[in-house]
């Protein structure tokens, strides 16, 4: 049986290495530039048990389906769908009210979350930018697997839309982090000092939350 593995050759690698990405579930085999692919695949096959053990530990998939629960701003809400309702989505206490045909429901919920994320992240970015005395040229959202936010030297900031599902303090700490990069485009002591002053709190708990729970956000909207 063939292994479904992403092969990556790395000039700095001195040995073969297997990893399972917690955000996507993909298996990666990293190789030195001149390593034998045949030998590497045989070696990976010998480690099937390890691969399966890592896959068992992956976050649970949480589809956007009727009756499922998903976090919105850190609060669990149940997807309450009825075909008689309009396609417009709204949130009420503990419920995400949805309508329209079941076909495309998951896509509509994801689009709603993205719009909500962009609006809230834009407002909070403007808030922190005013406090820091910096300019932001553009705010956008995407679905990066490795980063929760990025700030370009042009002043454009991009966030992962899934932050809308995290608790507010996690989202706001991420916004403060990216805005602080408009003051220091590095992770120097001066940057972290600016971040703490801008956020007006210790950002460490937010970083710890993302380290512990961030991968699970990438499994929202997935069936498996």
């Amino acid at each position: 049986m063939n292994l479904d593995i992403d092969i990556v050759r790395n000039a700095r690698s001195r040995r073969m290495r297997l990893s399972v990405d917690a955000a996507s579930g993909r298996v990666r085999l990293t190789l030195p530039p001149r390593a034998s692919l045949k030998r590497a695949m045989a070696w990976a096959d010998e480690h099937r048990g390890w691969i399966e053990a890592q896959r068992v530990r992956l976050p649970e998939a949480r589809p956007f389906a009727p009756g499922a629960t998903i976090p919105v701003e850190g609060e669990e809400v149940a997807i309450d769908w009825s075909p008689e309702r309009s396609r417009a989505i709204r949130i009420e206490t503990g419920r995400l009210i949805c309508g329209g045909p079941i076909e495309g429901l998951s896509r509509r919920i994801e689009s709603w979350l993205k719009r909500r994320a962009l609006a809230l992240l834009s407002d909070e970015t403007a808030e922190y930018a005013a406090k820091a005395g910096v300019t932001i040229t553009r705010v956008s959202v995407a679905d990066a697997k490795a980063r929760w936010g990025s700030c370009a030297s042009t002043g454009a900031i991009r966030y992962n839309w899934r932050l809308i599902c995290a608790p507010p303090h996690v989202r706001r700490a991420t916004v403060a982090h990216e805005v602080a990069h408009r003051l220091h485009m590095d992770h120097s002591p001066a940057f972290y000092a600016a971040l703490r002053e801008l956020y007006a709190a210790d950002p460490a708990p937010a970083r710890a939350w993302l380290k512990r729970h961030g991968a699970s956000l990438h499994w929202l909207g997935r069936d498996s």
Side-chain angles (χ1 to χ4, degrees):
M1 186 169 78
N2 293 328
L3 285 170
D4 185 13
I5 294 182
D6 296 328
I7 307 298
V8 178
R9 292 192 181 271
N10 190 318
R12 294 185 293 179
S13 293
R14 295 292 177 264
R15 58 186 178 84
M16 295 180 289
R17 183 168 61 88
L18 278 170
S19 60
V20 178
D21 183 66
S24 67
R26 297 289 301 175
V27 181
R28 172 179 292 187
L29 176 58
T30 303
L31 306 176
R34 303 177 75 174
S36 165
L37 180 58
K38 183 177 179 179
R39 285 186 57 197
M41 291 301 293
W43 177 79
D45 189 67
E46 293 172 0
H47 289 79
R48 282 178 179 273
W50 181 87
I51 292 172
E52 291 308 313
Q54 298 305 304
R55 282 175 164 167
V56 168
R57 297 170 59 185
L58 290 172
E60 180 183 358
R62 301 179 67 178
F64 296 150
T69 61
I70 61 170
V72 178
E73 297 185 45
E75 298 292 331
E76 292 290 328
V77 298
I79 297 176
D80 186 341
W81 169 81
S82 172
E84 288 78 24
R85 300 191 188 114
S86 73
R87 293 170 180 257
I89 297 174
R90 68 183 189 278
I91 193 167
E92 294 183 356
T93 305
R95 295 189 301 158
L96 194 66
I97 309 300
C98 311
I102 192 66
E103 295 79 13
L105 176 63
S106 179
R107 185 179 64 253
R108 295 197 299 276
I109 292 175
E110 181 174 318
S111 296
W112 180 85
L113 288 168
K114 287 178 178 178
R115 291 193 299 271
R116 189 179 180 94
L118 180 58
L120 193 51
L121 289 163
S122 295
D123 288 346
E124 291 174 344
T125 299
E127 174 191 339
Y128 281 120
K131 185 176 180 180
V134 298
T135 58
I136 305 298
T137 58
R138 184 169 183 262
V139 175
S140 61
V141 295
D143 196 12
K145 298 301 181 185
R147 306 180 73 176
W148 295 105
S150 62
C151 178
S153 59
T154 59
I157 293 180
R158 177 177 292 181
Y159 299 103
N160 191 310
W161 68 263
R162 295 174 186 275
L163 284 169
I164 195 64
C165 300
H169 79 278
V170 174
R171 184 188 67 247
R172 290 182 63 85
T174 304
V175 172
H177 183 109
E178 298 309 327
V179 172
H181 276 310
R182 294 293 289 139
L183 298 170
H184 303 279
M185 288 294 290
D186 53 31
H187 288 106
S188 63
F191 165 80
Y192 284 109
L195 170 58
R196 285 191 295 272
E197 181 176 355
L198 189 59
Y199 184 51
D202 182 3
R207 290 198 302 270
W209 191 96
L210 279 175
K211 184 175 182 180
R212 183 174 182 181
H213 302 288
S216 65
L217 299 183
H218 290 286
W219 290 76
L220 293 170
R222 295 176 57 171
D223 294 322
S224 60

